[in-house]
PDB file of all heavy atoms in Angstrom:
ATOM      1  N   LYS A   2     142.186  19.581 106.720  1.00  0.00           N
ATOM      2  CA  LYS A   2     141.043  18.742 107.043  1.00  0.00           C
ATOM      3  C   LYS A   2     141.192  17.282 106.632  1.00  0.00           C
ATOM      4  O   LYS A   2     142.135  16.975 105.850  1.00  0.00           O
ATOM      5  CB  LYS A   2     139.823  19.289 106.233  1.00  0.00           C
ATOM      6  CG  LYS A   2     139.367  20.610 106.873  1.00  0.00           C
ATOM      7  CD  LYS A   2     137.956  20.925 106.388  1.00  0.00           C
ATOM      8  CE  LYS A   2     137.448  22.107 107.189  1.00  0.00           C
ATOM      9  NZ  LYS A   2     136.218  22.692 106.616  1.00  0.00           N
ATOM     10  N   ARG A   3     140.370  16.436 107.280  1.00  0.00           N
ATOM     11  CA  ARG A   3     140.561  14.996 107.157  1.00  0.00           C
ATOM     12  C   ARG A   3     139.280  14.382 106.559  1.00  0.00           C
ATOM     13  O   ARG A   3     138.146  14.682 107.169  1.00  0.00           O
ATOM     14  CB  ARG A   3     140.841  14.439 108.454  1.00  0.00           C
ATOM     15  CG  ARG A   3     141.595  13.062 108.446  1.00  0.00           C
ATOM     16  CD  ARG A   3     141.970  12.669 109.824  1.00  0.00           C
ATOM     17  NE  ARG A   3     143.211  13.231 110.285  1.00  0.00           N
ATOM     18  CZ  ARG A   3     143.681  13.201 111.507  1.00  0.00           C
ATOM     19  NH1 ARG A   3     142.948  12.620 112.445  1.00  0.00           N
ATOM     20  NH2 ARG A   3     144.837  13.704 111.796  1.00  0.00           N
ATOM     21  N   VAL A   4     139.381  13.646 105.508  1.00  0.00           N
ATOM     22  CA  VAL A   4     138.178  13.074 104.878  1.00  0.00           C
ATOM     23  C   VAL A   4     138.301  11.592 104.957  1.00  0.00           C
ATOM     24  O   VAL A   4     139.307  10.953 104.840  1.00  0.00           O
ATOM     25  CB  VAL A   4     138.027  13.447 103.373  1.00  0.00           C
ATOM     26  CG1 VAL A   4     139.183  13.094 102.549  1.00  0.00           C
ATOM     27  CG2 VAL A   4     136.725  12.927 102.770  1.00  0.00           C
ATOM     28  N   LEU A   5     137.134  10.954 105.366  1.00  0.00           N
ATOM     29  CA  LEU A   5     137.046   9.516 105.362  1.00  0.00           C
ATOM     30  C   LEU A   5     136.247   9.089 104.089  1.00  0.00           C
ATOM     31  O   LEU A   5     135.101   9.516 103.897  1.00  0.00           O
ATOM     32  CB  LEU A   5     136.368   9.049 106.610  1.00  0.00           C
ATOM     33  CG  LEU A   5     136.099   7.418 106.567  1.00  0.00           C
ATOM     34  CD1 LEU A   5     137.532   6.663 106.651  1.00  0.00           C
ATOM     35  CD2 LEU A   5     135.179   7.027 107.720  1.00  0.00           C
ATOM     36  N   ILE A   6     136.835   8.245 103.202  1.00  0.00           N
ATOM     37  CA  ILE A   6     136.096   7.639 102.041  1.00  0.00           C
ATOM     38  C   ILE A   6     135.744   6.166 102.441  1.00  0.00           C
ATOM     39  O   ILE A   6     136.596   5.437 102.703  1.00  0.00           O
ATOM     40  CB  ILE A   6     136.963   7.667 100.841  1.00  0.00           C
ATOM     41  CG1 ILE A   6     137.427   9.115 100.464  1.00  0.00           C
ATOM     42  CG2 ILE A   6     136.354   7.054  99.649  1.00  0.00           C
ATOM     43  CD1 ILE A   6     138.406   9.299  99.318  1.00  0.00           C
ATOM     44  N   LEU A   7     134.452   5.949 102.388  1.00  0.00           N
ATOM     45  CA  LEU A   7     133.949   4.577 102.604  1.00  0.00           C
ATOM     46  C   LEU A   7     134.028   3.920 101.212  1.00  0.00           C
ATOM     47  O   LEU A   7     133.444   4.462 100.304  1.00  0.00           O
ATOM     48  CB  LEU A   7     132.594   4.538 103.196  1.00  0.00           C
ATOM     49  CG  LEU A   7     132.369   5.148 104.504  1.00  0.00           C
ATOM     50  CD1 LEU A   7     130.858   5.235 104.819  1.00  0.00           C
ATOM     51  CD2 LEU A   7     133.147   4.313 105.591  1.00  0.00           C
ATOM     52  N   PRO A  24     144.885  19.403  99.125  1.00  0.00           N
ATOM     53  CA  PRO A  24     145.322  19.622 100.445  1.00  0.00           C
ATOM     54  C   PRO A  24     144.338  19.164 101.522  1.00  0.00           C
ATOM     55  O   PRO A  24     143.642  19.927 102.216  1.00  0.00           O
ATOM     56  CB  PRO A  24     145.549  21.173 100.570  1.00  0.00           C
ATOM     57  CG  PRO A  24     144.528  21.759  99.577  1.00  0.00           C
ATOM     58  CD  PRO A  24     144.467  20.694  98.413  1.00  0.00           C
ATOM     59  N   VAL A  25     144.219  17.860 101.558  1.00  0.00           N
ATOM     60  CA  VAL A  25     143.319  17.191 102.582  1.00  0.00           C
ATOM     61  C   VAL A  25     143.906  15.827 102.969  1.00  0.00           C
ATOM     62  O   VAL A  25     144.509  15.258 102.140  1.00  0.00           O
ATOM     63  CB  VAL A  25     141.886  17.006 101.890  1.00  0.00           C
ATOM     64  CG1 VAL A  25     141.909  16.130 100.687  1.00  0.00           C
ATOM     65  CG2 VAL A  25     140.836  16.598 102.890  1.00  0.00           C
ATOM     66  N   GLU A  26     143.670  15.474 104.169  1.00  0.00           N
ATOM     67  CA  GLU A  26     144.240  14.224 104.561  1.00  0.00           C
ATOM     68  C   GLU A  26     143.073  13.149 104.299  1.00  0.00           C
ATOM     69  O   GLU A  26     141.986  13.306 104.730  1.00  0.00           O
ATOM     70  CB  GLU A  26     144.505  14.220 106.042  1.00  0.00           C
ATOM     71  CG  GLU A  26     145.559  13.277 106.531  1.00  0.00           C
ATOM     72  CD  GLU A  26     145.809  13.343 108.009  1.00  0.00           C
ATOM     73  OE1 GLU A  26     146.036  14.471 108.546  1.00  0.00           O
ATOM     74  OE2 GLU A  26     145.737  12.302 108.624  1.00  0.00           O
ATOM     75  N   ARG A  28     141.626   9.302 104.304  1.00  0.00           N
ATOM     76  CA  ARG A  28     141.508   7.984 104.944  1.00  0.00           C
ATOM     77  C   ARG A  28     140.520   7.197 104.067  1.00  0.00           C
ATOM     78  O   ARG A  28     139.546   7.710 103.656  1.00  0.00           O
ATOM     79  CB  ARG A  28     140.983   8.038 106.310  1.00  0.00           C
ATOM     80  CG  ARG A  28     141.863   8.840 107.274  1.00  0.00           C
ATOM     81  CD  ARG A  28     143.068   8.015 107.847  1.00  0.00           C
ATOM     82  NE  ARG A  28     143.951   8.834 108.505  1.00  0.00           N
ATOM     83  CZ  ARG A  28     143.863   9.170 109.896  1.00  0.00           C
ATOM     84  NH1 ARG A  28     142.852   8.587 110.520  1.00  0.00           N
ATOM     85  NH2 ARG A  28     144.768   9.952 110.404  1.00  0.00           N
ATOM     86  N   LEU A  60     134.774   8.194 113.860  1.00  0.00           N
ATOM     87  CA  LEU A  60     134.753   9.535 113.272  1.00  0.00           C
ATOM     88  C   LEU A  60     135.230  10.589 114.273  1.00  0.00           C
ATOM     89  O   LEU A  60     136.004  11.464 113.902  1.00  0.00           O
ATOM     90  CB  LEU A  60     133.385   9.911 112.745  1.00  0.00           C
ATOM     91  CG  LEU A  60     132.882   9.072 111.559  1.00  0.00           C
ATOM     92  CD1 LEU A  60     131.469   9.322 111.236  1.00  0.00           C
ATOM     93  CD2 LEU A  60     133.664   9.223 110.253  1.00  0.00           C
ATOM     94  N   GLU A  64     138.994  12.237 114.357  1.00  0.00           N
ATOM     95  CA  GLU A  64     138.836  13.726 113.986  1.00  0.00           C
ATOM     96  C   GLU A  64     138.619  13.870 112.479  1.00  0.00           C
ATOM     97  O   GLU A  64     139.237  14.702 111.843  1.00  0.00           O
ATOM     98  CB  GLU A  64     140.047  14.530 114.513  1.00  0.00           C
ATOM     99  CG  GLU A  64     140.178  14.459 116.023  1.00  0.00           C
ATOM    100  CD  GLU A  64     141.410  15.235 116.504  1.00  0.00           C
ATOM    101  OE1 GLU A  64     142.073  16.002 115.743  1.00  0.00           O
ATOM    102  OE2 GLU A  64     141.610  15.208 117.713  1.00  0.00           O
ATOM    103  N   ILE A  65     137.624  13.042 112.090  1.00  0.00           N
ATOM    104  CA  ILE A  65     137.286  13.235 110.702  1.00  0.00           C
ATOM    105  C   ILE A  65     136.371  14.401 110.423  1.00  0.00           C
ATOM    106  O   ILE A  65     135.455  14.610 111.199  1.00  0.00           O
ATOM    107  CB  ILE A  65     136.516  11.900 110.182  1.00  0.00           C
ATOM    108  CG1 ILE A  65     137.372  10.652 110.428  1.00  0.00           C
ATOM    109  CG2 ILE A  65     135.995  12.001 108.773  1.00  0.00           C
ATOM    110  CD1 ILE A  65     138.581  10.483 109.581  1.00  0.00           C
ATOM    111  N   ASP A  66     136.675  15.220 109.370  1.00  0.00           N
ATOM    112  CA  ASP A  66     135.887  16.416 109.212  1.00  0.00           C
ATOM    113  C   ASP A  66     134.787  16.203 108.079  1.00  0.00           C
ATOM    114  O   ASP A  66     133.770  16.902 108.103  1.00  0.00           O
ATOM    115  CB  ASP A  66     136.805  17.571 108.711  1.00  0.00           C
ATOM    116  CG  ASP A  66     137.910  17.830 109.704  1.00  0.00           C
ATOM    117  OD1 ASP A  66     137.544  18.324 110.793  1.00  0.00           O
ATOM    118  OD2 ASP A  66     139.084  17.539 109.381  1.00  0.00           O
ATOM    119  N   LEU A  67     135.051  15.288 107.192  1.00  0.00           N
ATOM    120  CA  LEU A  67     134.122  15.151 105.909  1.00  0.00           C
ATOM    121  C   LEU A  67     134.020  13.665 105.658  1.00  0.00           C
ATOM    122  O   LEU A  67     135.011  12.924 105.794  1.00  0.00           O
ATOM    123  CB  LEU A  67     134.828  15.877 104.704  1.00  0.00           C
ATOM    124  CG  LEU A  67     135.107  17.309 104.801  1.00  0.00           C
ATOM    125  CD1 LEU A  67     136.099  17.719 103.821  1.00  0.00           C
ATOM    126  CD2 LEU A  67     133.831  18.189 104.724  1.00  0.00           C
ATOM    127  N   LEU A  68     132.812  13.305 105.299  1.00  0.00           N
ATOM    128  CA  LEU A  68     132.673  11.824 104.971  1.00  0.00           C
ATOM    129  C   LEU A  68     132.135  11.663 103.499  1.00  0.00           C
ATOM    130  O   LEU A  68     131.188  12.347 103.189  1.00  0.00           O
ATOM    131  CB  LEU A  68     131.612  11.293 105.918  1.00  0.00           C
ATOM    132  CG  LEU A  68     131.234   9.833 105.916  1.00  0.00           C
ATOM    133  CD1 LEU A  68     132.490   8.985 106.176  1.00  0.00           C
ATOM    134  CD2 LEU A  68     130.229   9.607 106.974  1.00  0.00           C
ATOM    135  N   ILE A  69     132.808  10.738 102.785  1.00  0.00           N
ATOM    136  CA  ILE A  69     132.259  10.505 101.427  1.00  0.00           C
ATOM    137  C   ILE A  69     131.985   9.021 101.387  1.00  0.00           C
ATOM    138  O   ILE A  69     132.881   8.129 101.603  1.00  0.00           O
ATOM    139  CB  ILE A  69     133.219  10.852 100.268  1.00  0.00           C
ATOM    140  CG1 ILE A  69     133.608  12.351 100.327  1.00  0.00           C
ATOM    141  CG2 ILE A  69     132.695  10.531  98.896  1.00  0.00           C
ATOM    142  CD1 ILE A  69     134.531  12.867  99.193  1.00  0.00           C
ATOM    143  N   ASP A  70     130.715   8.705 101.048  1.00  0.00           N
ATOM    144  CA  ASP A  70     130.262   7.251 101.002  1.00  0.00           C
ATOM    145  C   ASP A  70     130.334   6.891  99.549  1.00  0.00           C
ATOM    146  O   ASP A  70     129.502   7.221  98.722  1.00  0.00           O
ATOM    147  CB  ASP A  70     128.816   7.221 101.549  1.00  0.00           C
ATOM    148  CG  ASP A  70     128.214   5.796 101.374  1.00  0.00           C
ATOM    149  OD1 ASP A  70     128.918   4.920 100.809  1.00  0.00           O
ATOM    150  OD2 ASP A  70     126.990   5.722 101.712  1.00  0.00           O
ATOM    151  N   ALA A  87     126.811  10.547 110.515  1.00  0.00           N
ATOM    152  CA  ALA A  87     127.223  11.913 110.126  1.00  0.00           C
ATOM    153  C   ALA A  87     126.170  12.929 110.622  1.00  0.00           C
ATOM    154  O   ALA A  87     126.535  14.042 111.082  1.00  0.00           O
ATOM    155  CB  ALA A  87     127.279  11.989 108.623  1.00  0.00           C
ATOM    156  N   GLY A  91     126.969  16.044 112.887  1.00  0.00           N
ATOM    157  CA  GLY A  91     126.849  17.180 112.031  1.00  0.00           C
ATOM    158  C   GLY A  91     127.948  17.326 110.990  1.00  0.00           C
ATOM    159  O   GLY A  91     128.424  18.386 110.681  1.00  0.00           O
ATOM    160  N   LEU A  92     128.438  16.087 110.509  1.00  0.00           N
ATOM    161  CA  LEU A  92     129.517  16.148 109.542  1.00  0.00           C
ATOM    162  C   LEU A  92     128.934  16.250 108.110  1.00  0.00           C
ATOM    163  O   LEU A  92     127.928  15.485 107.764  1.00  0.00           O
ATOM    164  CB  LEU A  92     130.296  14.786 109.553  1.00  0.00           C
ATOM    165  CG  LEU A  92     131.252  14.442 110.569  1.00  0.00           C
ATOM    166  CD1 LEU A  92     132.020  13.115 110.255  1.00  0.00           C
ATOM    167  CD2 LEU A  92     132.237  15.572 110.729  1.00  0.00           C
ATOM    168  N   PRO A  93     129.545  16.960 107.240  1.00  0.00           N
ATOM    169  CA  PRO A  93     129.107  17.022 105.876  1.00  0.00           C
ATOM    170  C   PRO A  93     129.420  15.613 105.256  1.00  0.00           C
ATOM    171  O   PRO A  93     130.492  15.009 105.459  1.00  0.00           O
ATOM    172  CB  PRO A  93     130.078  17.994 105.186  1.00  0.00           C
ATOM    173  CG  PRO A  93     130.543  18.781 106.338  1.00  0.00           C
ATOM    174  CD  PRO A  93     130.644  18.005 107.508  1.00  0.00           C
ATOM    175  N   ARG A  94     128.295  15.076 104.526  1.00  0.00           N
ATOM    176  CA  ARG A  94     128.403  13.743 103.967  1.00  0.00           C
ATOM    177  C   ARG A  94     127.972  13.821 102.529  1.00  0.00           C
ATOM    178  O   ARG A  94     127.018  14.433 102.158  1.00  0.00           O
ATOM    179  CB  ARG A  94     127.445  12.775 104.768  1.00  0.00           C
ATOM    180  CG  ARG A  94     127.319  11.362 104.106  1.00  0.00           C
ATOM    181  CD  ARG A  94     126.306  10.561 104.949  1.00  0.00           C
ATOM    182  NE  ARG A  94     125.034  11.190 104.968  1.00  0.00           N
ATOM    183  CZ  ARG A  94     124.038  10.926 104.140  1.00  0.00           C
ATOM    184  NH1 ARG A  94     124.187   9.974 103.235  1.00  0.00           N
ATOM    185  NH2 ARG A  94     122.851  11.528 104.244  1.00  0.00           N
ATOM    186  N   LEU A  95     128.747  13.117 101.629  1.00  0.00           N
ATOM    187  CA  LEU A  95     128.386  13.083 100.229  1.00  0.00           C
ATOM    188  C   LEU A  95     128.315  11.554  99.848  1.00  0.00           C
ATOM    189  O   LEU A  95     129.067  10.761 100.274  1.00  0.00           O
ATOM    190  CB  LEU A  95     129.457  13.742  99.378  1.00  0.00           C
ATOM    191  CG  LEU A  95     129.231  13.715  97.877  1.00  0.00           C
ATOM    192  CD1 LEU A  95     128.110  14.699  97.485  1.00  0.00           C
ATOM    193  CD2 LEU A  95     130.516  13.996  97.141  1.00  0.00           C
ATOM    194  N   TRP A 239     133.189  18.636  95.084  1.00  0.00           N
ATOM    195  CA  TRP A 239     132.489  18.805  96.323  1.00  0.00           C
ATOM    196  C   TRP A 239     133.590  18.941  97.454  1.00  0.00           C
ATOM    197  O   TRP A 239     133.473  19.842  98.272  1.00  0.00           O
ATOM    198  CB  TRP A 239     131.540  17.578  96.687  1.00  0.00           C
ATOM    199  CG  TRP A 239     130.867  17.561  97.972  1.00  0.00           C
ATOM    200  CD1 TRP A 239     129.682  18.170  98.187  1.00  0.00           C
ATOM    201  CD2 TRP A 239     131.341  17.047  99.186  1.00  0.00           C
ATOM    202  NE1 TRP A 239     129.318  17.933  99.494  1.00  0.00           N
ATOM    203  CE2 TRP A 239     130.304  17.301 100.148  1.00  0.00           C
ATOM    204  CE3 TRP A 239     132.413  16.262  99.570  1.00  0.00           C
ATOM    205  CZ2 TRP A 239     130.358  16.838 101.464  1.00  0.00           C
ATOM    206  CZ3 TRP A 239     132.491  15.856 100.918  1.00  0.00           C
ATOM    207  CH2 TRP A 239     131.518  16.172 101.906  1.00  0.00           C
ATOM    208  N   LEU A 240     134.579  18.050  97.354  1.00  0.00           N
ATOM    209  CA  LEU A 240     135.595  18.025  98.436  1.00  0.00           C
ATOM    210  C   LEU A 240     136.330  19.387  98.435  1.00  0.00           C
ATOM    211  O   LEU A 240     136.641  19.963  99.434  1.00  0.00           O
ATOM    212  CB  LEU A 240     136.517  16.805  98.147  1.00  0.00           C
ATOM    213  CG  LEU A 240     137.492  16.411  99.249  1.00  0.00           C
ATOM    214  CD1 LEU A 240     136.838  16.123 100.555  1.00  0.00           C
ATOM    215  CD2 LEU A 240     138.288  15.126  98.754  1.00  0.00           C
ATOM    216  N   ALA A 241     136.699  19.719  97.176  1.00  0.00           N
ATOM    217  CA  ALA A 241     137.465  21.045  97.059  1.00  0.00           C
ATOM    218  C   ALA A 241     136.753  22.238  97.676  1.00  0.00           C
ATOM    219  O   ALA A 241     137.280  23.134  98.178  1.00  0.00           O
ATOM    220  CB  ALA A 241     137.833  21.272  95.590  1.00  0.00           C
ATOM    221  N   SER A 242     135.388  22.100  97.486  1.00  0.00           N
ATOM    222  CA  SER A 242     134.519  23.230  97.998  1.00  0.00           C
ATOM    223  C   SER A 242     134.488  23.245  99.610  1.00  0.00           C
ATOM    224  O   SER A 242     134.019  24.203 100.092  1.00  0.00           O
ATOM    225  CB  SER A 242     133.177  23.165  97.399  1.00  0.00           C
ATOM    226  OG  SER A 242     132.427  22.160  98.043  1.00  0.00           O
ATOM    227  N   LYS A 243     134.860  22.199 100.119  1.00  0.00           N
ATOM    228  CA  LYS A 243     134.758  22.048 101.622  1.00  0.00           C
ATOM    229  C   LYS A 243     136.060  22.235 102.352  1.00  0.00           C
ATOM    230  O   LYS A 243     136.021  22.211 103.617  1.00  0.00           O
ATOM    231  CB  LYS A 243     134.229  20.640 102.030  1.00  0.00           C
ATOM    232  CG  LYS A 243     132.890  20.198 101.450  1.00  0.00           C
ATOM    233  CD  LYS A 243     131.698  20.953 102.148  1.00  0.00           C
ATOM    234  CE  LYS A 243     130.424  20.553 101.429  1.00  0.00           C
ATOM    235  NZ  LYS A 243     129.309  21.446 101.786  1.00  0.00           N
ATOM    236  N   ILE A 244     137.211  22.395 101.719  1.00  0.00           N
ATOM    237  CA  ILE A 244     138.491  22.377 102.314  1.00  0.00           C
ATOM    238  C   ILE A 244     139.097  23.799 102.339  1.00  0.00           C
ATOM    239  O   ILE A 244     138.659  24.582 101.588  1.00  0.00           O
ATOM    240  CB  ILE A 244     139.462  21.329 101.834  1.00  0.00           C
ATOM    241  CG1 ILE A 244     139.724  21.422 100.294  1.00  0.00           C
ATOM    242  CG2 ILE A 244     138.981  19.975 102.146  1.00  0.00           C
ATOM    243  CD1 ILE A 244     140.650  20.414  99.817  1.00  0.00           C
TER     244      ILE A 244
END
Side-chain angles (χ1 to χ4, degrees):
K2 287 200 173 169
R3 203 171 277 172
V4 60
L5 175 67
I6 299 173
L7 298 171
V25 62
E26 208 181 305
R28 300 276 171 89
L60 294 169
E64 300 179 4
I65 303 292
D66 302 294
L67 302 161
L68 182 59
I69 302 184
D70 173 4
L92 280 192
R94 173 182 61 94
L95 179 74
W239 180 87
L240 193 54
S242 74
K243 304 281 178 198
I244 58 181

